[in-house]
Amino acid sequence: ETVTSSRKRDHLVICAEKPIEAGDAGFSDVRLVHNALPECDMDTIDTRARFLGATLGSPLFIAAMTGGHPDTLEVNRRLARAAERFNLGMGVGSQRAALEKPELEGSFTIVREEAPHAFLCANLGIIQLRDHGIEWAERAVEMIDAQAIAIHVNSLQEAIQPEGDHNAEGSLEALRSLCEEFSRPVIVKETGSGIAAGTARAIWGAGASAIDIGGYGGTSWAKIECLRANDSDLADLGEAFLSWGIPTVVSLCEVRKTGGPIIATGGLRSGIDIAKAVALGADLGGMALPLLKPAMESDDALFAAVEAIHRELAVAMFLTGSRTVGSLAHARTYITGLTRQMIETSD
Ligand code: FNR
């Protein structure tokens, strides 16, 4: 068992058993404007969403989580079944472990086996991309026959993880060469600290096709690494950074001004949050932790969770008079509190 692989299992166990969320993504400061005369039929609302040329069943995206350890196979199998059943986009977790050790591919390849028609995103860290180049990106995509690849950035986690990579130099250049040469769309994805407007411009400049906000206010890697740390100095360091990051709503409002397709992930906890994200300019709303827990239980628990999210989304669409996701994107919102203050001070 490699270090990368056993870390994957540690993360799942911690996420299932411990409180790993921190802060506020900002959705409680956002209200969709109620339409008292909606003039549409709730039962015929069309939740389909377009993303990078694909038509998906809804804007709910199954965010990158796992794979790379035999114990993660069952979770990926269930997530993939949900992706296939509801025609949702899905990202797999970082494929590094399987690229280092091909025997571990099974926990990833199961996803394409169970979801032959789904829009799948491969996943690789920017540091692995920089160090191994386009060849690893190609192998990651081939492993699951993915439609796109997400390159994740996670400087906060690298900084406080005992085995973390502290040198991020050359990341942007690596991204630029990938975007130039690669045959599939490249999505740049944060994992809980958000993306600012200036960073988004650099990402578009490098040629990326989409940005996944990965904002602050949901799953916290500072908290996970804190809980995993055996060393008390590292635990203290994680603790000190529990409130670090750009809340998802604030990051979304910054990135949408820079243009380009957006997945809003980080602290979305209901179909209403997905509706709010779409109204604020996201093309899709990603969820990790809220799907992980039912996925560790059973197919039925996961399908029921997705159906509940879809019901909330449909009611929110009805109450804003939005027959389609395209019209939801024009729904008005009120933004109050700290979220509003942060948006007003952003560049
Ligand atoms: C993640 N996330 C993640 N992201 C990524 O790009 N590659 C990865 O390997 C992982 N691994 C991973 C494992 C687990 C157990 C969780 C819960 C999450 C991050 C994930 O895709 C998402 O950006 C954040 O979790 C924020 O969303 P939620 O959890 O607040 O809905």
Side-chain angles (χ1 to χ4, degrees):
E1 185 167 286
T2 63
V3 175
T4 315
S5 170
S6 65
R7 189 164 67 226
K8 296 297 142 190
R9 190 204 41 219
D10 292 356
H11 285 157
L12 274 199
V13 172
I14 291 171
C15 291
E17 293 175 354
K18 304 253 170 76
I20 54 150
E21 291 171 279
D24 185 355
F27 289 102
S28 57
D29 284 336
V30 179
R31 230 167 235 265
L32 287 158
V33 177
H34 176 66
N35 181 343
L37 274 173
E39 278 297 324
C40 64
D41 174 359
M42 195 171 92
D43 297 331
T44 62
I45 274 172
D46 182 357
T47 61
R48 284 176 306 170
R50 303 267 311 156
F51 186 68
L52 299 179
T55 301
L56 306 173
S58 88
L60 169 60
F61 184 83
I62 303 174
M65 274 178 272
T66 200
H69 186 283
D71 294 359
T72 65
L73 185 136
E74 240 4 86
V75 170
N76 265 350
R77 184 204 301 278
R78 291 193 186 120
L79 292 170
R81 283 183 178 159
E84 183 71 16
R85 184 183 180 106
F86 299 100
N87 185 24
L88 303 178
M90 171 179 171
V92 297
S94 169
Q95 290 166 267
R96 176 186 179 179
L99 292 163
E100 285 171 349
K101 208 162 178 266
E103 304 93 276
L104 296 170
E105 282 182 5
S107 57
F108 292 105
T109 52
I110 186 78
V111 173
R112 184 49 90 195
E113 286 161 29
E114 294 286 346
H117 307 98
F119 181 92
L120 295 182
C121 269
N123 190 289
L124 192 61
I126 196 147
I127 302 297
Q128 282 71 55
L129 173 70
R130 180 198 62 189
D131 295 348
H132 299 273
I134 190 167
E135 193 218 318
W136 267 33
E138 272 163 1
R139 282 176 55 206
V141 162
E142 278 163 22
M143 197 186 299
I144 58 166
D145 188 21
Q147 275 81 355
I149 188 164
I151 300 298
H152 72 258
V153 292
N154 61 342
S155 307
L156 171 61
Q157 190 189 5
E158 297 289 356
I160 57 181
Q161 193 170 260
E163 64 277 26
D165 198 313
H166 295 176
N167 181 5
E169 283 172 353
S171 297
L172 194 58
E173 204 36 57
L175 182 66
R176 195 188 313 278
S177 0
L178 178 70
C179 294
E180 263 168 27
E181 293 173 44
F182 213 51
S183 55
R184 308 284 160 103
V186 175
I187 303 169
V188 176
K189 173 181 185 304
E190 240 295 347
T191 51
S193 304
I195 290 177
T199 315
R201 289 189 196 101
I203 291 168
W204 300 130
S209 298
I211 288 179
D212 185 331
I213 299 285
Y216 173 78
T219 298
S220 162
W221 289 97
K223 204 148 184 184
I224 295 172
E225 293 301 339
C226 229
L227 292 164
R228 209 167 65 90
N230 298 316
D231 170 335
S232 78
D233 286 348
L234 279 174
D236 289 348
L237 186 59
E239 183 93 34
F241 282 86
L242 281 183
S243 60
W244 187 274
I246 308 169
T248 301
V249 170
V250 177
S251 178
L252 174 55
C253 291
E254 292 213 8
V255 175
R256 75 165 172 207
K257 293 184 304 191
T258 67
I262 301 175
I263 307 178
T265 309
L268 279 75
R269 294 296 175 261
S270 70
I272 306 173
D273 288 348
I274 292 180
K276 289 175 181 178
V278 170
L280 293 172
D283 295 83
L284 303 178
M287 286 192 195
L289 194 62
L291 301 175
L292 179 63
K293 291 189 173 168
M296 291 181 87
E297 217 179 293
S298 66
D299 282 358
D300 286 348
L302 180 60
F303 297 167
V306 171
E307 278 163 3
I309 293 163
H310 281 166
R311 264 196 305 278
E312 291 159 355
L313 172 66
V315 173
M317 288 177 72
F318 177 60
L319 296 178
T320 52
S322 313
R323 233 182 271 274
T324 62
V325 170
S327 89
L328 177 62
H330 295 106
R332 261 186 69 207
T333 56
Y334 301 109
I335 305 182
T336 57
L338 187 60
T339 305
R340 185 186 186 117
Q341 289 175 21
M342 289 184 80
I343 292 166
E344 282 170 356
T345 56
S346 67
D347 75 29

